[in-house]
Amino acid sequence: QQACYAASAVGYLTGRPGVCLVVSGPGFLHALGGMANATINCWPLIVIGGSSDRNQETMGAFQEFPQVEAARLYNKLSVRPSSLEVIPAVIEKAVRTSIYGRPGSCYIDIPGDFVNLQVNKSSVKYVECCLPPPISMAEHSAVSKAASIIGLSKQPLLIIGKGAAYSHAENNIRKLVDLCGLPFLPTPMAKGVVPDNHPNCVAAARSIALQHADVIILLGARLNWILHFGLPPRFRQDVKFIQIDICAEELGNNVRPAAILLGDIKAVTKQLLEEFSKRSLKYPSDSEWWRRLREKIKSNKERSKVLALQKSLPMNYYTVFHHIQELIPKDCILVSEGANTMDIGRTMLPNYSPRQRLDAGTFGTMGVGLGFAIAAAMVAKDRTPGKRVICIEGDSAFGFSGMEVETICRYNLPILIIVVNNNGIYTGLDANAWKEVLKFGDPATCVPPVSLLPNSHYEEIMSAFGGKGYFVRTPEELQNALKASVADKRTPSLINVVIDPQSERKKQEFHWLTRSNL
Protein backbone atom coordinates (compact mmCIF):
# COMPACT_ATOMS: atom_id res chain seq x y z
CA GLN A 1 0.00 0.00 0.00
CA GLN A 2 2.72 2.47 0.96
CA ALA A 3 4.80 1.52 -2.09
CA CYS A 4 1.84 2.38 -4.32
CA TYR A 5 1.22 5.70 -2.58
CA ALA A 6 4.93 6.48 -2.90
CA ALA A 7 5.00 5.63 -6.61
CA SER A 8 1.99 7.89 -7.25
CA ALA A 9 3.74 10.79 -5.47
CA VAL A 10 6.80 10.24 -7.68
CA GLY A 11 4.48 10.69 -10.67
CA TYR A 12 3.18 14.00 -9.36
CA LEU A 13 6.59 15.35 -8.42
CA THR A 14 8.35 14.36 -11.66
CA GLY A 15 5.62 14.30 -14.31
CA ARG A 16 6.60 10.72 -15.23
CA PRO A 17 4.83 7.68 -13.80
CA GLY A 18 6.30 6.01 -10.76
CA VAL A 19 6.15 2.22 -11.01
CA CYS A 20 4.88 -0.07 -8.25
CA LEU A 21 5.51 -3.83 -8.44
CA VAL A 22 3.13 -6.00 -6.41
CA VAL A 23 2.46 -9.71 -5.95
CA SER A 24 -0.81 -11.37 -6.82
CA GLY A 25 -4.09 -11.50 -4.90
CA PRO A 26 -3.75 -9.67 -1.56
CA GLY A 27 -0.69 -7.77 -2.77
CA PHE A 28 -2.66 -6.46 -5.73
CA LEU A 29 -5.63 -5.63 -3.49
CA HIS A 30 -3.48 -3.59 -1.11
CA ALA A 31 -2.32 -1.50 -4.09
CA LEU A 32 -5.87 -0.60 -5.15
CA GLY A 33 -5.90 2.32 -2.69
CA GLY A 34 -2.86 3.82 -4.37
CA MET A 35 -4.32 3.29 -7.85
CA ALA A 36 -7.59 4.98 -6.90
CA ASN A 37 -5.76 7.81 -5.12
CA ALA A 38 -3.56 8.44 -8.15
CA THR A 39 -6.42 8.43 -10.64
CA ILE A 40 -8.63 10.72 -8.55
CA ASN A 41 -5.70 13.07 -7.88
CA CYS A 42 -4.80 12.93 -11.61
CA TRP A 43 -1.26 11.66 -11.02
CA PRO A 44 0.56 9.28 -13.39
CA LEU A 45 1.23 5.80 -11.99
CA ILE A 46 1.96 2.34 -13.34
CA VAL A 47 1.27 -0.76 -11.25
CA ILE A 48 2.68 -4.10 -12.43
CA GLY A 49 1.06 -7.04 -10.67
CA GLY A 50 1.90 -10.70 -10.72
CA SER A 51 -1.01 -13.10 -11.13
CA SER A 52 -1.81 -16.81 -11.22
CA ASP A 53 -0.55 -19.03 -14.04
CA ARG A 54 -2.90 -18.91 -17.03
CA ASN A 55 -3.40 -22.69 -17.13
CA GLN A 56 -4.65 -22.61 -13.51
CA GLU A 57 -7.40 -20.03 -14.00
CA THR A 58 -10.75 -21.00 -12.39
CA MET A 59 -9.03 -23.91 -10.58
CA GLY A 60 -8.52 -22.07 -7.28
CA ALA A 61 -4.89 -21.22 -7.93
CA PHE A 62 -2.69 -19.64 -5.25
CA GLN A 63 -3.90 -16.04 -4.73
CA GLU A 64 -6.15 -16.29 -7.79
CA PHE A 65 -8.21 -13.14 -8.29
CA PRO A 66 -9.79 -11.35 -11.30
CA GLN A 67 -7.17 -8.61 -11.18
CA VAL A 68 -7.54 -7.11 -14.66
CA GLU A 69 -11.30 -6.78 -14.19
CA ALA A 70 -10.99 -5.37 -10.66
CA ALA A 71 -8.35 -2.83 -11.71
CA ARG A 72 -10.56 -1.32 -14.43
CA LEU A 73 -12.55 0.63 -11.83
CA TYR A 74 -9.47 2.47 -10.61
CA ASN A 75 -7.30 2.88 -13.69
CA LYS A 76 -7.23 4.55 -17.09
CA LEU A 77 -5.91 1.29 -18.54
CA SER A 78 -6.02 -2.28 -17.21
CA VAL A 79 -4.41 -4.89 -19.43
CA ARG A 80 -2.71 -8.29 -19.52
CA PRO A 81 -0.17 -8.74 -22.35
CA SER A 82 -1.24 -11.54 -24.67
CA SER A 83 2.35 -12.76 -25.08
CA LEU A 84 5.93 -11.96 -24.13
CA GLU A 85 6.49 -10.42 -27.55
CA VAL A 86 4.02 -7.57 -26.98
CA ILE A 87 5.20 -6.54 -23.50
CA PRO A 88 7.24 -3.55 -24.77
CA ALA A 89 4.22 -2.22 -26.70
CA VAL A 90 1.98 -2.66 -23.65
CA ILE A 91 4.47 -0.83 -21.42
CA GLU A 92 4.69 2.05 -23.94
CA LYS A 93 0.91 2.33 -24.05
CA ALA A 94 0.69 2.32 -20.26
CA VAL A 95 3.27 5.08 -19.93
CA ARG A 96 1.59 7.11 -22.67
CA THR A 97 -1.89 6.63 -21.21
CA SER A 98 -0.75 7.58 -17.72
CA ILE A 99 0.62 10.99 -18.81
CA TYR A 100 -1.50 11.96 -21.84
CA GLY A 101 -4.67 14.00 -21.28
CA ARG A 102 -5.71 13.90 -17.63
CA PRO A 103 -3.00 11.84 -15.89
CA GLY A 104 -3.89 8.73 -13.94
CA SER A 105 -3.02 5.17 -13.01
CA CYS A 106 -2.51 2.20 -15.34
CA TYR A 107 -2.34 -1.50 -14.41
CA ILE A 108 -0.38 -4.25 -16.19
CA ASP A 109 -1.03 -7.89 -15.23
CA ILE A 110 1.81 -10.42 -15.60
CA PRO A 111 0.79 -14.11 -15.25
CA GLY A 112 3.13 -16.29 -13.22
CA ASP A 113 3.92 -18.61 -16.12
CA PHE A 114 5.34 -15.65 -18.10
CA VAL A 115 8.29 -15.48 -15.71
CA ASN A 116 10.01 -18.63 -16.96
CA LEU A 117 8.86 -18.48 -20.59
CA GLN A 118 11.42 -17.95 -23.31
CA VAL A 119 10.96 -16.25 -26.64
CA ASN A 120 13.06 -15.62 -29.70
CA LYS A 121 14.53 -12.16 -29.30
CA SER A 122 13.87 -11.29 -32.94
CA SER A 123 10.12 -11.75 -32.45
CA VAL A 124 9.86 -9.18 -29.65
CA LYS A 125 8.01 -6.08 -30.82
CA TYR A 126 10.22 -3.26 -29.54
CA VAL A 127 8.78 0.24 -29.68
CA GLU A 128 10.25 3.64 -28.98
CA CYS A 129 9.38 5.54 -25.84
CA CYS A 130 6.32 7.72 -26.29
CA LEU A 131 6.67 11.40 -27.09
CA PRO A 132 6.05 13.97 -24.34
CA PRO A 133 2.36 14.78 -23.84
CA PRO A 134 1.02 17.08 -26.56
CA ILE A 135 0.36 20.65 -25.46
CA SER A 136 -3.16 21.76 -26.26
CA MET A 137 -4.29 25.39 -26.36
CA ALA A 138 -7.69 27.01 -25.92
CA GLU A 139 -9.65 28.53 -28.79
CA HIS A 140 -8.76 32.18 -29.33
CA SER A 141 -12.41 33.23 -29.12
CA ALA A 142 -12.70 31.54 -25.70
CA VAL A 143 -9.59 33.33 -24.45
CA SER A 144 -10.96 36.67 -25.66
CA LYS A 145 -14.33 36.02 -24.04
CA ALA A 146 -12.71 35.07 -20.72
CA ALA A 147 -10.57 38.21 -20.75
CA SER A 148 -13.65 40.36 -21.37
CA ILE A 149 -15.52 38.76 -18.45
CA ILE A 150 -12.54 39.27 -16.15
CA GLY A 151 -12.21 42.87 -17.29
CA LEU A 152 -15.81 43.63 -16.31
CA SER A 153 -15.57 41.96 -12.92
CA LYS A 154 -16.00 44.01 -9.76
CA GLN A 155 -14.98 41.24 -7.33
CA PRO A 156 -12.73 38.77 -9.18
CA LEU A 157 -11.03 35.72 -7.69
CA LEU A 158 -8.42 33.38 -9.15
CA ILE A 159 -8.49 29.82 -7.77
CA ILE A 160 -5.31 27.83 -8.41
CA GLY A 161 -5.61 24.02 -8.37
CA LYS A 162 -2.96 21.31 -8.21
CA GLY A 163 -3.46 20.82 -11.96
CA ALA A 164 -1.64 24.14 -12.35
CA ALA A 165 1.20 22.84 -10.17
CA TYR A 166 1.43 19.62 -12.19
CA SER A 167 1.60 21.55 -15.48
CA HIS A 168 4.48 23.74 -14.20
CA ALA A 169 2.44 26.88 -14.91
CA GLU A 170 3.84 28.82 -11.95
CA ASN A 171 5.77 31.45 -13.90
CA ASN A 172 2.83 32.33 -16.14
CA ILE A 173 0.38 32.39 -13.24
CA ARG A 174 2.63 34.65 -11.17
CA LYS A 175 2.89 37.02 -14.12
CA LEU A 176 -0.90 36.95 -14.54
CA VAL A 177 -1.48 37.75 -10.86
CA ASP A 178 1.00 40.64 -10.95
CA LEU A 179 -0.14 41.98 -14.31
CA CYS A 180 -3.85 42.01 -13.47
CA GLY A 181 -3.71 42.53 -9.71
CA LEU A 182 -6.07 39.63 -9.08
CA PRO A 183 -6.65 38.14 -5.62
CA PHE A 184 -5.90 34.41 -5.64
CA LEU A 185 -6.77 31.41 -3.53
CA PRO A 186 -4.75 28.17 -3.80
CA THR A 187 -6.30 24.80 -3.17
CA PRO A 188 -4.25 22.78 -0.62
CA MET A 189 -1.72 21.16 -2.96
CA ALA A 190 -1.53 24.25 -5.18
CA LYS A 191 0.05 26.22 -2.34
CA GLY A 192 3.33 27.66 -3.57
CA VAL A 193 2.42 27.96 -7.26
CA VAL A 194 2.31 31.61 -6.30
CA PRO A 195 4.10 32.02 -2.94
CA ASP A 196 1.78 32.09 0.07
CA ASN A 197 3.39 35.35 1.21
CA HIS A 198 2.44 37.12 -2.03
CA PRO A 199 0.33 40.21 -1.18
CA ASN A 200 -2.50 38.97 -3.43
CA CYS A 201 -2.95 35.66 -1.58
CA VAL A 202 -6.35 35.62 0.16
CA ALA A 203 -6.16 32.12 1.69
CA ALA A 204 -6.72 33.66 5.12
CA ALA A 205 -10.05 35.08 3.88
CA ARG A 206 -11.17 31.93 2.06
CA SER A 207 -14.83 31.97 3.09
CA ILE A 208 -15.56 35.57 2.19
CA ALA A 209 -13.56 35.33 -1.04
CA LEU A 210 -15.58 32.35 -2.26
CA GLN A 211 -18.91 33.67 -1.07
CA HIS A 212 -18.72 37.15 -2.59
CA ALA A 213 -16.63 36.86 -5.76
CA ASP A 214 -18.62 37.73 -8.90
CA VAL A 215 -16.14 36.15 -11.34
CA ILE A 216 -14.02 33.13 -10.48
CA ILE A 217 -11.23 31.83 -12.72
CA LEU A 218 -10.48 28.15 -12.11
CA LEU A 219 -6.92 27.20 -13.07
CA GLY A 220 -6.72 23.41 -12.93
CA ALA A 221 -9.13 23.27 -9.99
CA ARG A 222 -12.30 21.18 -9.97
CA LEU A 223 -15.65 22.22 -8.54
CA ASN A 224 -15.82 19.20 -6.26
CA TRP A 225 -16.29 18.91 -2.50
CA ILE A 226 -13.13 20.93 -1.80
CA LEU A 227 -14.76 23.94 -3.48
CA HIS A 228 -18.30 23.13 -2.31
CA PHE A 229 -19.31 22.19 -5.87
CA GLY A 230 -19.46 25.88 -6.84
CA LEU A 231 -22.98 26.13 -5.42
CA PRO A 232 -24.83 28.50 -3.05
CA PRO A 233 -24.68 29.31 -0.19
CA ARG A 234 -20.89 29.06 -0.41
CA PHE A 235 -20.96 30.99 -3.69
CA ARG A 236 -23.09 33.74 -5.13
CA GLN A 237 -26.10 32.63 -7.12
CA ASP A 238 -24.98 34.77 -10.06
CA VAL A 239 -21.23 34.06 -9.90
CA LYS A 240 -19.55 33.59 -13.28
CA PHE A 241 -17.07 30.74 -13.53
CA ILE A 242 -14.28 30.64 -16.10
CA GLN A 243 -13.02 27.06 -16.24
CA ILE A 244 -9.54 26.23 -17.52
CA ASP A 245 -8.85 22.50 -17.60
CA ILE A 246 -7.06 19.87 -19.66
CA CYS A 247 -10.06 17.53 -19.48
CA ALA A 248 -13.11 18.38 -21.62
CA GLU A 249 -15.39 16.19 -19.48
CA GLU A 250 -14.62 18.35 -16.43
CA LEU A 251 -15.90 21.54 -18.06
CA GLY A 252 -19.43 22.33 -16.88
CA ASN A 253 -19.47 19.94 -13.93
CA ASN A 254 -21.95 21.15 -11.26
CA VAL A 255 -22.29 24.65 -12.74
CA ARG A 256 -22.70 26.15 -16.18
CA PRO A 257 -19.52 28.16 -16.82
CA ALA A 258 -19.52 31.60 -18.41
CA ALA A 259 -16.44 30.62 -20.42
CA ILE A 260 -14.54 27.38 -20.95
CA LEU A 261 -10.89 27.16 -21.96
CA LEU A 262 -9.86 23.61 -22.83
CA GLY A 263 -6.13 23.11 -22.76
CA ASP A 264 -2.89 22.78 -20.87
CA ILE A 265 -2.85 25.21 -17.92
CA LYS A 266 0.64 26.52 -18.71
CA ALA A 267 -0.23 27.13 -22.36
CA VAL A 268 -3.62 28.69 -21.66
CA THR A 269 -2.28 31.08 -19.02
CA LYS A 270 0.28 32.19 -21.59
CA GLN A 271 -2.59 32.86 -23.99
CA LEU A 272 -4.33 34.94 -21.32
CA LEU A 273 -1.12 36.90 -20.70
CA GLU A 274 -0.87 37.67 -24.40
CA GLU A 275 -4.51 38.76 -24.47
CA PHE A 276 -4.07 41.07 -21.48
CA SER A 277 -0.97 42.59 -23.05
CA LYS A 278 -3.30 43.91 -25.77
CA ARG A 279 -5.93 45.23 -23.37
CA SER A 280 -4.76 46.87 -20.18
CA LEU A 281 -6.26 45.38 -17.01
CA LYS A 282 -5.01 46.16 -13.54
CA TYR A 283 -7.57 45.51 -10.85
CA PRO A 284 -7.37 48.44 -8.40
CA SER A 285 -5.72 47.53 -5.10
CA ASP A 286 -7.73 50.23 -3.31
CA SER A 287 -11.13 48.81 -4.32
CA GLU A 288 -13.87 47.99 -1.83
CA TRP A 289 -13.40 44.30 -2.68
CA TRP A 290 -9.73 44.41 -1.70
CA ARG A 291 -10.58 46.38 1.44
CA ARG A 292 -13.02 43.67 2.62
CA LEU A 293 -10.58 40.88 1.84
CA ARG A 294 -7.67 42.55 3.63
CA GLU A 295 -9.84 43.32 6.64
CA LYS A 296 -10.80 39.65 6.94
CA ILE A 297 -7.23 38.49 6.40
CA LYS A 298 -6.02 40.78 9.17
CA SER A 299 -8.67 39.66 11.69
CA ASN A 300 -8.10 35.95 11.00
CA LYS A 301 -4.33 36.28 11.28
CA GLU A 302 -4.71 38.14 14.55
CA ARG A 303 -6.92 35.38 15.96
CA SER A 304 -4.38 32.73 14.93
CA LYS A 305 -1.56 34.77 16.44
CA VAL A 306 -3.33 34.99 19.80
CA LEU A 307 -3.70 31.20 19.85
CA ALA A 308 -0.12 30.67 18.66
CA LEU A 309 1.36 32.78 21.44
CA GLN A 310 -0.57 31.16 24.28
CA LYS A 311 1.75 30.06 27.10
CA SER A 312 -0.56 27.46 28.66
CA LEU A 313 0.39 23.78 28.78
CA PRO A 314 -0.27 21.38 27.19
CA MET A 315 0.30 23.30 23.95
CA ASN A 316 -2.41 23.84 21.32
CA TYR A 317 -2.09 23.23 17.58
CA TYR A 318 -1.38 26.87 16.78
CA THR A 319 1.50 27.14 19.24
CA VAL A 320 3.07 24.00 17.78
CA PHE A 321 2.75 25.16 14.17
CA HIS A 322 4.02 28.63 15.08
CA HIS A 323 7.32 27.16 16.26
CA ILE A 324 7.52 24.68 13.37
CA GLN A 325 7.01 27.48 10.87
CA GLU A 326 9.78 29.55 12.44
CA LEU A 327 12.42 26.80 12.40
CA ILE A 328 11.94 24.56 9.34
CA PRO A 329 13.64 25.45 6.02
CA LYS A 330 11.52 27.61 3.71
CA ASP A 331 12.33 25.42 0.71
CA CYS A 332 11.44 22.10 2.35
CA ILE A 333 8.86 19.68 0.97
CA LEU A 334 5.94 19.49 3.39
CA VAL A 335 3.93 16.29 3.74
CA SER A 336 0.83 16.75 5.86
CA GLU A 337 -1.68 14.19 7.02
CA GLY A 338 -4.32 14.00 9.71
CA ALA A 339 -7.56 15.70 10.68
CA ASN A 340 -6.96 18.90 12.63
CA THR A 341 -3.22 18.52 12.05
CA MET A 342 -3.61 18.79 8.28
CA ASP A 343 -6.32 21.48 8.35
CA ILE A 344 -4.55 23.83 10.74
CA GLY A 345 -1.12 23.09 9.27
CA ARG A 346 -2.38 24.18 5.86
CA THR A 347 -3.22 27.63 7.22
CA MET A 348 -0.17 28.02 9.46
CA LEU A 349 2.65 26.62 7.32
CA PRO A 350 3.32 28.64 4.15
CA ASN A 351 4.65 27.24 0.88
CA TYR A 352 6.86 29.36 -1.31
CA SER A 353 7.45 27.04 -4.28
CA PRO A 354 5.21 24.72 -6.31
CA ARG A 355 4.92 20.95 -5.83
CA GLN A 356 6.29 21.17 -2.30
CA ARG A 357 3.15 20.19 -0.42
CA LEU A 358 1.67 16.70 -0.38
CA ASP A 359 -1.44 15.83 1.62
CA ALA A 360 -4.61 13.70 1.65
CA GLY A 361 -5.65 15.25 -1.67
CA THR A 362 -8.89 15.07 -3.61
CA PHE A 363 -9.67 11.58 -2.32
CA GLY A 364 -9.06 12.60 1.31
CA THR A 365 -6.88 9.53 1.81
CA MET A 366 -5.48 8.78 5.24
CA GLY A 367 -2.35 6.63 5.38
CA VAL A 368 -0.43 8.35 2.58
CA GLY A 369 1.95 10.36 4.77
CA LEU A 370 5.08 8.27 5.15
CA GLY A 371 4.84 6.79 1.65
CA PHE A 372 4.63 10.30 0.23
CA ALA A 373 7.55 11.41 2.42
CA ILE A 374 9.73 8.52 1.22
CA ALA A 375 8.90 9.34 -2.41
CA ALA A 376 9.64 13.04 -1.89
CA ALA A 377 12.96 12.24 -0.22
CA MET A 378 14.02 9.91 -3.06
CA VAL A 379 13.09 12.47 -5.71
CA ALA A 380 14.87 15.24 -3.80
CA LYS A 381 17.95 13.04 -3.38
CA ASP A 382 18.09 12.61 -7.15
CA ARG A 383 17.11 16.10 -8.29
CA THR A 384 17.73 18.60 -5.47
CA PRO A 385 20.22 17.11 -3.00
CA GLY A 386 20.04 18.76 0.38
CA LYS A 387 16.34 19.63 0.22
CA ARG A 388 14.63 18.52 3.41
CA VAL A 389 11.35 16.62 3.69
CA ILE A 390 9.20 17.45 6.73
CA CYS A 391 6.33 15.03 7.37
CA ILE A 392 3.75 16.35 9.84
CA GLU A 393 1.33 13.69 11.06
CA GLY A 394 -1.58 13.51 13.42
CA ASP A 395 -1.17 10.63 15.86
CA SER A 396 -4.04 8.66 14.31
CA ALA A 397 -2.68 9.29 10.80
CA PHE A 398 0.77 8.10 11.86
CA GLY A 399 -0.82 4.83 12.95
CA PHE A 400 -1.68 3.95 9.34
CA SER A 401 1.92 3.77 8.17
CA GLY A 402 4.18 4.19 11.22
CA MET A 403 6.27 1.09 10.50
CA GLU A 404 7.55 2.76 7.32
CA VAL A 405 9.95 4.42 9.75
CA GLU A 406 12.02 1.27 9.22
CA THR A 407 12.10 1.93 5.47
CA ILE A 408 13.20 5.52 6.13
CA CYS A 409 16.02 4.35 8.40
CA ARG A 410 16.99 1.45 6.11
CA TYR A 411 17.64 3.85 3.24
CA ASN A 412 18.99 6.55 5.56
CA LEU A 413 16.58 9.21 4.32
CA PRO A 414 16.94 12.38 6.44
CA ILE A 415 13.19 12.85 6.82
CA LEU A 416 11.90 14.75 9.84
CA ILE A 417 8.59 13.34 11.09
CA ILE A 418 6.58 15.45 13.51
CA VAL A 419 3.69 13.68 15.23
CA VAL A 420 1.19 16.14 16.69
CA ASN A 421 -0.13 13.95 19.48
CA ASN A 422 -3.54 14.78 20.97
CA ASN A 423 -4.31 11.20 22.04
CA GLY A 424 -7.05 10.73 19.48
CA ILE A 425 -8.90 11.56 16.29
CA TYR A 426 -9.97 15.23 16.52
CA THR A 427 -9.97 15.04 20.32
CA GLY A 428 -8.72 12.56 22.91
CA LEU A 429 -8.43 12.00 26.63
CA ASP A 430 -5.58 13.00 28.92
CA ALA A 431 -4.08 10.45 31.30
CA ASN A 432 -6.33 11.41 34.21
CA ALA A 433 -9.52 11.30 32.14
CA TRP A 434 -8.42 7.94 30.73
CA LYS A 435 -8.08 6.50 34.22
CA GLU A 436 -11.51 7.80 35.17
CA VAL A 437 -13.10 6.23 32.09
CA LEU A 438 -11.51 2.86 32.89
CA LYS A 439 -13.34 2.83 36.23
CA PHE A 440 -16.55 2.18 34.30
CA GLY A 441 -15.31 -1.19 33.06
CA ASP A 442 -13.82 -2.80 29.97
CA PRO A 443 -12.07 -0.19 27.76
CA ALA A 444 -13.53 -1.94 24.69
CA THR A 445 -16.97 -0.72 25.76
CA CYS A 446 -16.15 2.41 27.78
CA VAL A 447 -13.41 4.26 25.88
CA PRO A 448 -14.64 6.57 23.10
CA PRO A 449 -13.72 5.03 19.73
CA VAL A 450 -11.92 8.21 18.64
CA SER A 451 -9.62 8.14 21.68
CA LEU A 452 -6.12 6.66 21.51
CA LEU A 453 -3.84 5.58 24.35
CA PRO A 454 -2.65 8.73 26.17
CA ASN A 455 0.97 9.85 25.95
CA SER A 456 2.05 7.14 23.50
CA HIS A 457 5.79 7.27 22.80
CA TYR A 458 5.83 7.21 18.99
CA GLU A 459 9.37 8.57 18.99
CA GLU A 460 10.61 5.22 20.32
CA ILE A 461 9.69 3.60 16.99
CA MET A 462 12.25 5.86 15.32
CA SER A 463 14.85 5.17 18.03
CA ALA A 464 14.30 1.42 17.63
CA PHE A 465 15.52 1.56 14.03
CA GLY A 466 18.50 3.84 14.63
CA GLY A 467 16.98 7.26 14.05
CA LYS A 468 16.62 10.01 16.62
CA GLY A 469 13.46 10.37 18.67
CA TYR A 470 12.27 13.29 20.78
CA PHE A 471 9.36 13.44 23.24
CA VAL A 472 8.38 17.07 23.86
CA ARG A 473 5.75 18.81 25.96
CA THR A 474 6.82 22.48 26.04
CA PRO A 475 7.65 25.16 23.45
CA GLU A 476 11.28 25.14 24.63
CA GLU A 477 11.60 21.38 24.19
CA LEU A 478 9.97 21.65 20.76
CA GLN A 479 12.36 24.39 19.68
CA ASN A 480 15.40 22.40 20.81
CA ALA A 481 14.21 19.24 19.07
CA LEU A 482 13.46 21.13 15.85
CA LYS A 483 16.85 22.84 15.82
CA ALA A 484 18.68 19.55 16.40
CA SER A 485 16.65 17.68 13.76
CA VAL A 486 17.00 20.37 11.09
CA ALA A 487 20.75 20.70 11.75
CA ASP A 488 21.31 16.95 11.36
CA LYS A 489 21.05 16.39 7.61
CA ARG A 490 22.01 12.73 7.73
CA THR A 491 19.83 11.05 10.34
CA PRO A 492 16.05 10.49 10.22
CA SER A 493 14.25 11.88 13.25
CA LEU A 494 10.81 11.91 14.83
CA ILE A 495 9.49 14.55 17.21
CA ASN A 496 6.48 13.41 19.25
CA VAL A 497 4.71 16.61 20.32
CA VAL A 498 2.18 16.18 23.12
CA ILE A 499 -0.63 18.74 22.91
CA ASP A 500 -3.89 19.45 24.68
CA PRO A 501 -6.27 16.56 23.81
CA GLN A 502 -9.13 19.08 23.55
CA SER A 503 -7.28 21.52 21.26
CA GLU A 504 -9.36 22.34 18.17
CA ARG A 505 -9.53 24.53 15.07
CA LYS A 506 -10.78 28.08 14.83
CA LYS A 507 -14.41 27.98 13.74
CA GLN A 508 -14.08 29.44 10.25
CA GLU A 509 -11.38 27.13 8.93
CA PHE A 510 -11.99 24.86 5.97
CA HIS A 511 -12.32 21.31 7.20
CA TRP A 512 -11.49 18.54 4.76
CA LEU A 513 -13.84 15.96 6.28
CA THR A 514 -16.98 18.08 6.18
CA ARG A 515 -19.08 19.42 3.36
CA SER A 516 -19.19 22.90 4.77
CA ASN A 517 -16.73 25.67 5.39
CA LEU A 518 -17.48 26.35 9.04
Side-chain angles (χ1 to χ4, degrees):
Q1 190 180 72
Q2 290 304 311
C4 202
Y5 287 143
S8 69
V10 168
Y12 173 65
L13 294 170
T14 66
R16 301 290 297 183
V19 182
C20 178
L21 180 67
V22 298
V23 297
S24 56
F28 163 83
L29 285 170
H30 288 311
L32 283 178
M35 297 182 218
N37 196 61
T39 297
I40 290 174
N41 273 327
C42 309
W43 294 354
L45 167 70
I46 291 175
V47 176
I48 300 175
S51 61
S52 308
D53 291 5
R54 290 172 297 172
N55 63 358
Q56 295 177 357
E57 284 184 1
T58 74
M59 295 176 64
F62 177 67
Q63 296 184 336
E64 182 178 355
F65 191 77
Q67 296 177 189
V68 175
E69 293 84 353
R72 285 199 177 101
L73 282 172
Y74 311 97
N75 291 271
K76 293 181 70 179
L77 174 71
S78 180
V79 61
R80 171 188 283 186
S82 58
S83 66
L84 294 185
E85 289 90 339
V86 302
I87 285 178
V90 169
I91 296 292
E92 186 276 340
K93 181 169 185 177
V95 173
R96 175 163 41 87
T97 303
S98 74
I99 59 176
Y100 275 36
R102 173 180 277 178
S105 177
C106 293
Y107 173 69
I108 301 170
D109 195 74
I110 303 295
D113 56 299
F114 270 28
V115 177
N116 292 318
L117 282 181
Q118 294 187 355
V119 65
N120 192 314
K121 188 176 180 180
S122 62
S123 66
V124 175
K125 299 177 181 177
Y126 289 103
V127 293
E128 292 184 14
C129 183
C130 65
L131 295 170
I135 303 299
S136 54
M137 300 173 71
E139 297 178 29
H140 176 73
S141 59
V143 174
S144 179
K145 181 179 180 181
S148 297
I149 295 170
I150 296 169
L152 294 173
S153 173
K154 302 297 183 186
Q155 297 178 176
L157 178 65
L158 183 67
I159 297 181
I160 304 170
K162 68 176 177 291
Y166 181 83
S167 71
H168 290 247
E170 54 268 16
N171 290 336
N172 288 347
I173 294 175
R174 291 175 190 180
K175 289 176 184 177
L176 186 65
V177 168
D178 292 335
L179 177 66
C180 300
L182 297 170
F184 73 89
L185 173 69
T187 58
M189 266 193 278
K191 283 164 59 70
V193 170
V194 182
D196 283 345
N197 62 351
H198 191 285
N200 287 35
C201 181
V202 296
R206 183 183 190 273
S207 296
I208 192 174
L210 294 178
Q211 197 166 19
H212 297 286
D214 63 354
V215 170
I216 294 178
I217 307 102
L218 296 166
L219 286 174
R222 291 173 277 180
L223 289 175
N224 53 23
W225 66 273
I226 293 176
L227 291 175
H228 316 292
F229 313 107
L231 299 173
R234 300 301 173 187
F235 293 82
R236 285 171 50 151
Q237 186 74 46
D238 61 347
V239 62
K240 294 180 179 178
F241 285 101
I242 297 171
Q243 282 188 280
I244 304 172
D245 205 283
I246 198 170
C247 178
E249 289 83 356
E250 187 62 41
L251 302 172
N253 271 352
N254 299 321
V255 300
R256 184 177 179 86
I260 55 175
L261 285 74
L262 175 64
D264 174 79
I265 304 298
K266 183 178 180 180
V268 175
T269 48
K270 184 178 181 181
Q271 288 180 279
L272 282 171
L273 281 170
E274 292 170 351
E275 186 68 24
F276 283 123
S277 69
K278 301 172 188 174
R279 54 171 100 185
S280 178
L281 171 65
K282 183 75 173 181
Y283 191 74
S285 60
D286 59 351
S287 66
E288 175 64 16
W289 178 228
W290 262 122
R291 186 196 64 77
R292 291 176 65 190
L293 290 170
R294 290 191 181 110
E295 188 177 86
K296 190 64 175 177
I297 290 169
K298 182 181 178 182
S299 67
N300 280 343
K301 286 185 175 180
E302 286 175 351
R303 291 178 65 192
S304 295
K305 187 176 181 181
V306 169
L307 291 167
L309 297 179
Q310 283 184 357
K311 302 295 184 182
S312 58
L313 294 177
M315 293 181 284
N316 65 51
Y317 284 103
Y318 295 86
T319 303
V320 171
F321 283 117
H322 168 71
H323 292 294
I324 292 174
Q325 185 267 330
E326 284 194 329
L327 293 172
I328 62 174
K330 282 192 172 185
D331 67 342
C332 69
I333 297 175
L334 281 171
V335 180
S336 184
E337 179 184 26
N340 288 339
T341 298
M342 185 173 69
D343 295 333
I344 299 170
R346 176 179 49 82
T347 66
M348 294 286 291
L349 300 177
N351 290 88
Y352 304 100
S353 300
R355 297 169 297 282
Q356 294 198 351
R357 176 183 167 86
L358 296 165
D359 63 24
T362 307
F363 210 22
T365 309
M366 288 292 102
V368 296
L370 270 64
F372 281 4
I374 290 167
M378 293 300 292
V379 171
K381 184 178 180 181
D382 182 51
R383 298 190 170 200
T384 52
K387 184 180 287 292
R388 298 302 301 271
V389 176
I390 314 292
C391 180
I392 303 175
E393 300 271 300
D395 49 345
S396 62
F398 181 73
F400 283 98
S401 57
M403 287 305 291
E404 293 302 326
V405 165
E406 187 277 333
T407 310
I408 291 169
C409 291
R410 189 191 334 148
Y411 294 116
N412 198 32
L413 302 174
I415 296 168
L416 167 56
I417 301 169
I418 302 171
V419 177
V420 184
N421 184 358
N422 72 337
N423 302 338
I425 304 169
Y426 292 113
T427 59
L429 301 173
D430 62 24
N432 291 331
W434 182 271
K435 290 178 182 177
E436 291 299 314
V437 168
L438 293 185
K439 292 178 180 179
F440 291 96
D442 187 346
T445 57
C446 297
V447 172
V450 294
S451 294
L452 302 176
L453 200 64
N455 303 328
S456 296
H457 283 266
Y458 299 111
E459 78 285 353
E460 293 183 2
I461 298 175
M462 179 65 79
S463 301
F465 294 113
K468 293 182 179 178
Y470 303 87
F471 184 77
V472 306
R473 293 179 180 272
T474 68
E476 293 73 26
E477 291 173 345
L478 175 58
Q479 289 172 337
N480 292 335
L482 282 167
K483 289 174 183 176
S485 299
V486 170
D488 188 344
K489 299 181 180 179
R490 291 180 173 272
T491 311
S493 52
L494 189 154
I495 304 173
N496 183 10
V497 188
V498 176
I499 68 167
D500 183 353
Q502 299 302 311
S503 179
E504 294 187 278
R505 302 174 289 120
K506 298 198 312 291
K507 289 299 181 185
Q508 83 282 2
E509 284 175 343
F510 167 65
H511 179 200
W512 77 279
L513 275 181
T514 64
R515 297 179 182 178
S516 63
N517 184 3
L518 300 176

